[in-house]
Amino acid sequence: MNSTTLLAFDALLLISTVSLAWASLASSDERRGVILFMAFGLLLAMAWSRLQAPDVALAEAAIGAGLSGALLLSAVRREPVGLSRTGAEPVQNHEKTDYRMTLRWTVTLLCAAFTATLGWAYLSALSFGPHDGLPRAIAANLEASGVSNPVTAVLLNFRAWDTLLELAVLLTAALGILALGKESPAYQPAGVVFEGLIRWLVPLLILTAGYLLWVGAHAPGGAFQAGATLAAAGVVLRLAGRHRIGLPAGIRLRVLMAAGVGVFLLVGLVLMLAGRSFLGYPPALASLLILVIETAAMLAIAATLVLAFAGGRPQTDVLANTAVKLEASTASGPGPARPAGSGGTSNDCIPEKKAC
Amino acid sequence: MLTAQWLYGLAGCLVTGIGLGNALLGSSLLKRVLAINVMGAGVFMMLIAVAYRGPDLAPDPVPHALVLTGIVVAVSATALALALARRLDREQDDG
């Protein structure tokens, strides 16, 4: 492709991306805003692949546009008015309107100044010329890392610490969601067409997740993209009204969510006992250890994202809908911390709900 | 300096600025969460643009790994923020 065509493509892509970001935030309808945000995410994925970052493009399309979009959309579905209430008290007098306008303009000007400074800083950073110290060091050590995809090598070998802590962030978010309440009411059971679709789609998504996980060692892919794809299967199942969405209940769910951090730490500590540094893999075992860690990470990421989509502690079973209603009519405050989904069958579900 | 590098980088700055403004002025919690996501996307854009080294050289994998981590952290933060917003709403409804 010649450079003029490429430049025209870049310009078109960037104009669309920036306009979509603007339109998504300027839209007064939240649902519309979220859908524009998803479109923005997909264009971003295109920009990443243009800049030779296919790993990031996959993650952006699956997580940034896909799952974030699904999370935000379900929040809009759940709270038609609620979430849009903050600060929207009717303004009574002129003084208050004036104050708001001044605030608005001040913030806008400051943000414009911030953007200009950021741009200036970015350009002056670029003017130092190309940086090739780190890329060269990575290329030189790639052989010993156990994988041949440099991004996976950085994530799971050279900077494994970062990824370990990232999984800890994910676990913290999951614990927060578990602590904040029960999941939202389930969707209606799917119709015939949707039911037929998910019979094909869910196995295909699981297969794709497995493929992405395996291929991440030597080509774009890896635990995050695979986890997001697996979570997408859960999201589709939930949309179809399947209540359990493939998640285990109670303690097994917690074990699954902690698996990423747990296996990572275990590998690090075992290596320390064997006389190596924390997460300093022996080259001969590196690729196996990375695959083990990635598999656990994929399961943990998928479980956490599905849980986030469900919006809280899973109810035990199909009676959840009635249980939610019961709970709403009996309990006013936050209920006592009950062990989530204490593994019960449908028989013990209702009395348990009544109790809280 | 490559054209693509500064084009995409400056667009990233712009997106970050748009996100920041809306995060500060947003009229609802959901919109603020959306704005923070957009702001993060702008930062990712700058990082990926820095990593790009032209069509002939392989890009720098370190910023790519940083952005991948960032995307996952952003979605966790979004999920937690939405759960908090929902809880806040329920509390207000009850009280």
Side-chain angles (χ1 to χ4, degrees):
Chain A
M1 205 189 291
N2 68 46
S3 60
T4 326
T5 332
L6 202 57
L7 193 66
F9 172 78
D10 286 344
L12 204 62
L13 185 60
L14 290 176
I15 291 170
S16 329
T17 313
V18 175
S19 330
L20 271 177
W22 180 272
S24 146
L25 297 178
S27 155
S28 57
D29 178 8
E30 287 180 345
R31 182 180 299 266
R32 193 185 149 87
V34 172
I35 291 171
L36 287 171
F37 173 74
M38 292 164 87
F40 165 73
L42 289 177
L43 281 192
L44 271 186
M46 206 187 277
W48 302 159
S49 38
R50 154 74 179 91
L51 293 176
Q52 297 180 4
D55 288 275
V56 188
L58 276 173
E60 176 66 44
I63 305 178
L67 279 165
S68 295
L71 283 175
L72 289 160
L73 264 186
S74 72
V76 178
R77 168 192 95 119
R78 223 175 270 129
E79 309 289 344
V81 277
L83 278 173
S84 52
R85 196 168 43 193
T86 349
E89 304 298 320
V91 182
Q92 254 97 30
N93 50 28
H94 279 291
E95 213 169 294
K96 223 167 186 176
T97 325
D98 283 349
Y99 165 72
R100 276 181 191 227
M101 282 310 284
T102 323
L103 185 72
R104 205 165 189 88
W105 279 107
T106 320
V107 171
T108 310
L109 282 177
L110 283 177
C111 284
F114 169 80
T115 310
T117 319
L118 196 63
W120 173 77
Y122 178 79
L123 287 182
S124 39
L126 278 191
S127 67
F128 285 118
H131 50 106
D132 49 3
L134 273 179
R136 203 180 304 142
I138 288 166
N141 291 297
L142 197 57
E143 195 87 339
S145 74
V147 288
S148 60
N149 176 5
V151 179
T152 307
V154 173
L155 277 174
L156 284 141
N157 196 333
F158 304 139
R159 298 289 311 162
W161 259 108
D162 293 354
T163 310
L164 171 62
L165 294 177
E166 166 194 356
L167 290 172
V169 168
L170 199 71
L171 181 62
T172 313
L175 292 179
I177 293 167
L178 278 181
L180 279 167
K182 298 199 172 68
E183 67 177 354
S184 52
Y187 286 74
Q188 297 288 323
V192 180
V193 177
F194 192 21
E195 190 67 31
L197 178 70
I198 62 171
R199 263 155 219 250
W200 284 95
L201 202 55
V202 169
L204 196 64
L205 282 168
I206 295 172
L207 194 66
T208 312
Y211 170 74
L212 280 171
L213 178 71
W214 178 255
V215 86
H218 53 85
F224 303 122
Q225 294 90 338
T229 314
L230 204 54
V235 169
V236 171
L237 281 177
R238 190 172 162 79
L239 284 176
R242 301 291 171 80
H243 199 73
R244 296 290 291 274
I245 39 176
L247 285 181
I251 190 76
R252 277 175 299 159
L253 176 64
R254 280 140 207 256
V255 170
L256 191 63
M257 287 189 325
V261 180
V263 170
F264 221 136
L265 276 177
L266 201 65
V267 169
L269 292 176
V270 167
L271 286 171
M272 277 177 91
L273 284 180
R276 304 187 67 90
S277 63
F278 183 72
L279 292 173
Y281 317 124
L285 282 177
S287 75
L288 177 70
L289 289 177
I290 287 178
L291 189 64
V292 168
I293 292 173
E294 280 205 302
T295 310
M298 174 187 78
L299 293 174
I301 291 169
T304 306
L305 290 176
V306 173
L307 182 82
F309 184 71
R313 283 198 301 278
Q315 305 282 357
T316 13
D317 74 336
V318 284
L319 290 175
N321 258 328
T322 34
V324 167
K325 279 180 203 139
L326 266 177
E327 186 198 356
S329 59
T330 52
S332 54
R338 181 181 64 89
S342 35
T345 61
S346 52
N347 290 337
D348 63 22
C349 176
I350 294 279
E352 188 191 357
K353 290 291 148 40
K354 268 183 182 157
C356 75
Chain B
M1 198 190 295
L2 293 151
T3 323
Q5 237 180 1
W6 66 257
L7 261 181
Y8 282 82
L10 288 186
C13 298
L14 204 57
V15 172
T16 311
I18 293 173
L20 178 66
N22 280 282
L24 292 173
L25 293 169
S27 57
S28 69
L29 287 177
L30 189 114
K31 281 200 154 178
R32 287 180 193 225
V33 174
L34 202 62
I36 290 171
N37 269 294
V38 168
M39 195 175 154
V43 176
F44 298 157
M45 216 161 166
M46 281 189 269
L47 277 169
I48 299 286
V50 168
Y52 184 64
R53 300 195 299 159
D56 306 320
L57 276 172
D60 183 352
V62 177
H64 287 186
L66 287 177
V67 173
L68 267 177
T69 308
I71 289 175
V72 177
V73 170
V75 76
S76 331
T78 305
L80 186 59
L82 290 176
L84 278 169
R86 205 154 48 232
R87 180 59 185 265
L88 193 63
D89 244 36
R90 211 158 57 210
E91 300 286 318
Q92 282 172 346
D93 284 345
D94 290 345

